[in-house]
Amino acid sequence: MILEMKVPSPGESIKEVEIATWLVKDGDYVEKDQAIAEVDSDKATLELPAEASGIITLKAEEGDAVAVGAVVCLIDTSAAKPSGDAPKAAPVAEAPKAEEKKVEAPKPVSQPAVTYATQAPSPAARKILDEKNIQPTDIVGTGKGGRITKDDAVNAVPSMGTPTGGNRGSERTKLSMLRRKVAERLVSAKNETAMLTTFNEVDMTAIYALREQYKEEFKAKHGLGLGFMSFFTKAVTRALQLYPDVNSMIDGQEKISFDFCDISVAVSGPKGLMVPVMRNAETLSFRGVEAEIKRLALRARDGQITVDEMTGGTFTISNGGVFGSMLSTPIINPPQSGILGMHNVVDRAIVKNGQIVIAPVMYVALSYDHRIIDGRESVGFLVAVKEALENPVEHLMNGNAKKALEL
């Protein structure tokens, strides 16, 4: 029996996927539920499991874009699994070779060298080279007598300057569907929103002290690290409730406001940037936030994140500080209206109570869509985040750190 394997739907809005990598070869025997391919959608990279055991015949090439529901391979379920202990067939004796006749190769006939076409481009090639601003003398023609063909012109790249020694190789690879979609969305966000960024600084002394005091006890009880993200998530959900316009989005000529906080968290995965969502983050405790972030980060790292886990979100937090970023202007994740950028923590000289002291300071940035969020809301939101982080026991823990940390 021949089973036709079709591309399953990764999500409601996805109509097409791309075969990123075949994990098996044509003619291989595959087991049921074995991962046979990785497919890229515009939101995630997913594994395609075999629906039955048998011999597989591939019907699509790597890099092919295929519609959801299209047949990508056939599995012959009646084929027996090959045995590794099967006896080897006896070698077949070679038939005696017929006596070979010696045939003399014809002597080459000297022809006059064709010099008039050397490095002279064809009319079509000339037009392409002019558009690329490339001189014919900069490339080698593959046509007769060194003539520059249209294909030579199409494949030509501008000179990178005069070589001064060392390796000068280059490689051209096709962007994955996920990377192309991310690029498209970033350009769309820049072109279709009135994006502005406001900045502030946060004295992290209080959070450092809390983590130093409770991190061992927190880890021993919950099996989780007490990181910055739980403090920032709690500070953001509090600020979103104080400034609900930041937790809204535009749909045509209407504004949609949410009474819940689904926080998208930008994480770096093996296939690029992914933004899984913490649902109803306003209801999560410190332990709950740390557990959910760990769960989503592991799934993103292992390539197991689903489209549903990255769909939606009312606000985004991006932590460029883990890579050493001092300051940035994060790009809005549409259709959301705001994104908070975290950065690295550096000891800086600041003024406290009229005295210059050294304190761990983080710069934070809020990018927002000015079409729906005014300056008062954007600045007020970031100040609310700052005050919560600088006084977390009062604003985030109701005056009782041990109870908030469930210790």
Side-chain angles (χ1 to χ4, degrees), residues 164-361:
T164 57
N167 295 330
R168 294 180 58 79
S170 63
E171 182 182 4
R172 185 186 296 266
T173 56
K174 186 177 180 180
L175 294 175
S176 69
M177 183 177 284
L178 175 60
R179 174 56 64 185
R180 296 199 304 269
K181 188 62 178 180
V182 168
E184 179 186 317
R185 286 169 62 84
L186 292 177
V187 172
S188 173
K190 292 286 285 185
N191 292 340
E192 298 176 11
T193 64
M195 194 178 82
L196 293 179
T197 305
T198 184
F199 304 93
N200 216 316
E201 63 180 13
V202 176
D203 179 356
M204 302 287 286
T205 301
I207 291 178
Y208 268 48
L210 282 170
R211 292 180 70 237
E212 184 64 29
Q213 183 176 356
Y214 294 114
K215 64 180 181 181
E216 298 299 335
E217 192 177 350
F218 188 86
K219 186 169 185 177
K221 181 164 184 180
H222 304 303
L224 298 163
L226 181 59
F228 292 143
M229 279 301 296
S230 53
F231 289 95
F232 273 81
T233 301
K234 299 292 286 181
V236 162
T237 57
R238 170 182 176 270
L240 289 175
Q241 291 168 335
L242 292 173
Y243 296 91
D245 279 351
V246 185
N247 200 41
S248 303
M249 60 183 63
I250 288 180
D251 183 15
Q253 296 184 350
E254 298 177 333
K255 180 176 80 171
I256 304 173
S257 299
F258 304 97
D259 62 358
F260 56 88
C261 301
D262 282 357
I263 304 298
S264 304
V265 182
V267 297
S268 180
K271 297 291 183 177
L273 182 70
M274 295 184 178
V275 194
V277 181
M278 286 188 288
R279 308 290 178 188
N280 287 102
E282 78 281 2
T283 66
L284 297 178
S285 63
F286 281 84
R287 180 186 60 81
V289 171
E290 294 292 353
E292 184 65 357
I293 288 174
K294 181 179 180 179
R295 183 186 74 84
L296 292 171
L298 288 175
R299 288 178 62 78
R301 184 197 67 187
D302 297 339
Q304 298 176 341
I305 204 81
T306 66
V307 173
D308 287 342
E309 288 173 311
M310 295 194 293
T311 301
T314 62
F315 187 87
T316 297
I317 300 176
S318 176
N319 186 5
V322 296
F323 303 111
S325 170
M326 180 190 80
L327 196 60
S328 68
T329 55
I331 297 179
I332 296 169
N333 179 21
Q336 297 172 17
S337 297
I339 178 172
L340 179 73
M342 301 166 55
H343 302 94
N344 61 357
V345 181
V346 176
D347 284 343
R348 291 188 169 92
I350 63 172
V351 177
K352 282 187 178 181
N353 301 319
Q355 300 293 320
I356 297 176
V357 297
I358 302 300
V361 172

Side-chain angles (χ1 to χ4, degrees), residues 12-172:
E12 195 172 318
S13 62
I14 298 174
K15 305 300 181 188
E16 186 180 71
V17 299
E18 187 175 281
I19 305 296
T21 308
W22 281 110
L23 305 177
V24 295
K25 297 190 294 294
D26 196 64
D28 282 357
Y29 185 89
V30 298
E31 299 282 359
K32 187 177 186 297
D33 296 328
Q34 175 186 343
I36 59 173
E38 290 182 351
V39 294
D40 281 343
S41 73
D42 58 12
K43 294 181 178 173
T45 297
L46 307 170
E47 286 188 345
L48 187 65
E51 296 176 6
S53 300
I55 300 292
I56 192 168
T57 302
L58 308 184
K59 291 295 183 183
E61 301 288 338
E62 289 185 359
D64 284 357
V66 292
V68 170
V71 176
V72 288
C73 65
L74 306 176
I75 299 179
D76 183 358
T77 59
S78 60
K81 183 176 182 179
S83 170
D85 301 325
K88 295 182 179 178
V92 179
E94 290 187 7
K97 294 182 180 178
E99 188 177 339
E100 297 178 357
K101 292 185 178 180
K102 212 170 187 181
V103 179
E104 287 188 13
K107 294 180 179 180
V109 179
S110 62
Q111 294 180 348
V114 181
T115 58
Y116 68 89
T118 301
Q119 284 193 313
S122 67
R126 164 68 69 184
K127 182 179 179 182
I128 295 171
L129 292 177
D130 287 345
E131 291 173 352
K132 291 185 172 183
N133 197 25
I134 298 175
Q135 295 299 320
T137 53
D138 292 339
I139 62 175
V140 177
T142 61
K144 186 176 180 181
R147 189 173 180 83
I148 297 171
T149 66
K150 181 180 177 181
D151 284 344
D152 295 331
V154 169
N155 295 325
V157 295
S159 172
M160 301 297 289
T162 304
T164 57
N167 295 330
R168 294 180 58 79
S170 63
E171 182 182 4
R172 185 186 296 266

